[in-house]
Amino acid sequence: MVKICCIGAGYVGGPTMAVIALKCSDIEVVVVDISEPRIAAWNSDQLPIYEPGLDDVVKQCRGKNLFFSTDVEKHVAEADIVFVSVNTPTKTQGLGAGKAADLTYWESAARTIADVSKSDKIVVEKSTVPVKTAEAIEKILTHNSKGIKFQILSNPEFLAEGTAIEDLFQPDRVLIGGRETPEGQKAIQSLKSVYAHWVPEDRILTTNLWSAELSKLAANAFLAQRISSVNAMSALCEATGADVAEVSYAIGKDSRIGPKFLNASVGFGGSCFQKDILNLVYICECNGLPEVAEYWKQVIKINDHQKSRFVNRVVSSMFNTVSQKKIAILGFAFKKDTGDTRETPAIDVCKGTVGRQGCPEHL
């Protein structure tokens, strides 16, 4: 039986491995994490994350071919394929602070894999990482003294919170990037055979490592760009008397544009869009492309502007003061059908309105 181990039991690792276990009864899947409370939650009736349909998938497989454990070393050592789905937040200090991805957890996972492995393995990047991360990870893994061989694959996730299970059941595409060597191509085919249990072959795309790594950042940047574009247009609509919903509907009917991600809002949130765009900006700057970096920075600037513009409109509608007034925030997560509040626009809206209370200089 093929054994898969996933390091990281978060929003990506948990649902992805649960669906793989459901669709591949001939594969043993173990999700490991150093957080005992998180693993305990995955083994309980109250899962640590909310995602429509996730409960049913986990309950069908847990204890059969899907397991959750804190014994990271044991299950990594036994696995044939190791997915790494750890957090890659934006760096808060040091070189690239505020833009570059912090790969501390990724590096730690790679060193653990190198230390405990007793057989050849395929290591799969599931986390969103900067392009060329695989090169650094290869150096860590190949400098072991045991003669063990590792193949690194990039298999970025394209899940949307709130529809993750549906996205996994019927993905637009599954992307697998690997080295253009016989060993690399063999590893690609091994991972491809896992997804082929339920994903049509024409939806499983294979590329080189760097294309796969960059495709995830590019996809999130393009989606965020659409949101910022329609939000910028909403400001013009309000200034001219146009209805942004009608404008969005009209342009969305163009087959070259399409209707998705064209709803005006307070702004995008979540753990991915801003982090990934900042990462893309940093990569552009490091590669001597300041004009390209500035272009993508503008997507975030428009997003910040939309949130502050919304707060200004709210305060203005209450005679320029929120003192002695009650404001209800209906929904604090960054989008519907999720409990995730990371980078939610609601935080900035709350801070913005509270910051106005009793402060005439802001009026």
Side-chain angles (χ1 to χ4, degrees):
M1 174 181 273
V2 174
K3 292 187 176 183
I4 289 177
C5 176
C6 177
I7 302 175
Y11 280 89
V12 174
T16 302
M17 294 303 113
V19 169
I20 287 178
L22 179 69
K23 298 294 187 179
C24 308
S25 58
D26 58 331
I27 295 177
E28 179 184 285
V29 181
V30 182
V31 182
V32 297
D33 200 294
I34 60 174
S35 171
E36 292 185 3
R38 175 171 289 181
I39 291 299
W42 278 110
N43 284 317
S44 73
D45 291 330
Q46 189 67 42
L47 301 184
I49 64 174
Y50 173 73
E51 193 65 47
L54 178 60
D55 278 8
D56 291 338
V57 174
V58 171
K59 287 176 181 176
Q60 287 184 62
C61 305
R62 192 172 56 195
K64 297 176 183 177
N65 68 324
L66 175 64
F67 305 92
F68 298 91
S69 172
T70 55
D71 195 342
V72 178
E73 294 186 1
K74 174 181 183 295
H75 294 291
V76 168
E78 294 176 351
D80 302 297
I81 302 174
V82 180
F83 284 80
V84 181
S85 186
V86 296
N87 194 20
T88 53
T90 302
K91 290 180 71 173
T92 57
Q93 56 186 2
L95 184 65
K99 295 176 186 175
D102 185 344
L103 299 179
T104 301
Y105 300 120
W106 227 118
E107 183 180 339
S108 176
R111 294 191 185 283
T112 297
I113 295 169
D115 290 343
V116 307
S117 293
K118 299 175 183 177
S119 59
D120 296 351
K121 299 190 188 305
I122 297 172
V123 178
V124 183
E125 294 177 338
K126 201 64 183 171
S127 309
T128 302
V129 294
V131 64
K132 291 289 186 176
T133 294
E135 198 167 61
I137 300 307
E138 279 179 335
K139 291 179 181 178
I140 294 173
L141 294 176
T142 55
H143 283 73
N144 65 80
S145 58
K146 307 172 190 175
I148 297 170
K149 295 180 180 179
F150 296 94
Q151 285 299 319
I152 315 297
L153 298 180
S154 175
N155 176 218
E157 55 84 16
F158 294 102
L159 308 180
E161 288 187 40
T163 60
I165 299 302
E166 181 183 338
D167 294 340
L168 286 163
F169 281 168
Q170 297 182 319
D172 291 333
R173 78 292 202 195
V174 171
L175 181 60
I176 303 172
R179 285 291 192 183
E180 296 167 301
T181 62
E183 297 80 7
Q185 293 304 301
K186 183 179 178 181
I188 288 175
Q189 290 305 314
S190 295
L191 184 55
K192 186 176 179 179
S193 68
V194 173
Y195 286 108
H197 280 73
W198 79 96
V199 180
E201 188 172 353
D202 62 352
R203 292 192 182 186
I204 304 177
L205 313 180
T206 59
T207 67
N208 69 36
L209 268 172
W210 322 130
S211 295
E213 287 180 336
L214 187 55
S215 291
K216 171 61 177 180
L217 294 178
N220 278 352
F222 272 60
L223 292 173
Q225 178 194 51
R226 285 174 67 92
I227 296 172
S228 283
S229 293
V230 76
N231 282 341
M233 199 58 64
S234 73
L236 183 59
C237 286
E238 291 167 20
T240 60
D243 185 328
V244 69
E246 293 176 346
V247 172
S248 297
Y249 182 77
I251 64 176
K253 283 295 183 180
D254 189 323
S255 60
R256 297 167 300 176
I257 299 174
K260 295 183 178 180
F261 278 73
L262 284 183
N263 293 321
S265 66
V266 184
F268 57 75
S271 64
C272 294
F273 282 177
Q274 178 156 315
K275 171 177 73 73
D276 290 352
I277 294 173
L278 288 171
N279 193 350
L280 187 62
V281 166
Y282 182 70
I283 293 170
C284 291
E285 290 174 342
C286 290
N287 282 277
L289 301 168
E291 294 84 2
V292 179
E294 283 299 320
Y295 176 82
W296 289 112
K297 277 183 187 177
Q298 194 61 34
V299 173
I300 294 176
K301 289 180 181 178
I302 289 293
N303 196 54
D304 292 338
H305 171 67
Q306 184 75 347
K307 288 182 284 189
S308 62
R309 198 172 68 82
F310 178 79
V311 171
N312 290 339
R313 289 193 66 203
V314 170
V315 175
S316 177
S317 71
M318 294 185 290
F319 307 103
N320 287 331
T321 179
V322 295
S323 181
Q324 305 300 313
K325 291 169 183 162
K326 294 181 179 179
I327 301 173
I329 305 295
L330 304 179
F332 198 76
F334 82 92
K335 64 183 290 189
K336 69 176 184 178
D337 288 330
T338 181
D340 194 351
T341 61
R342 290 175 292 180
E343 300 295 335
T344 174
I347 293 175
D348 292 305
V349 170
C350 290
K351 286 182 176 179
T353 51
V354 170
R356 297 300 186 89
Q357 185 168 326
C359 297
E361 65 271 18
H362 290 305
L363 299 181

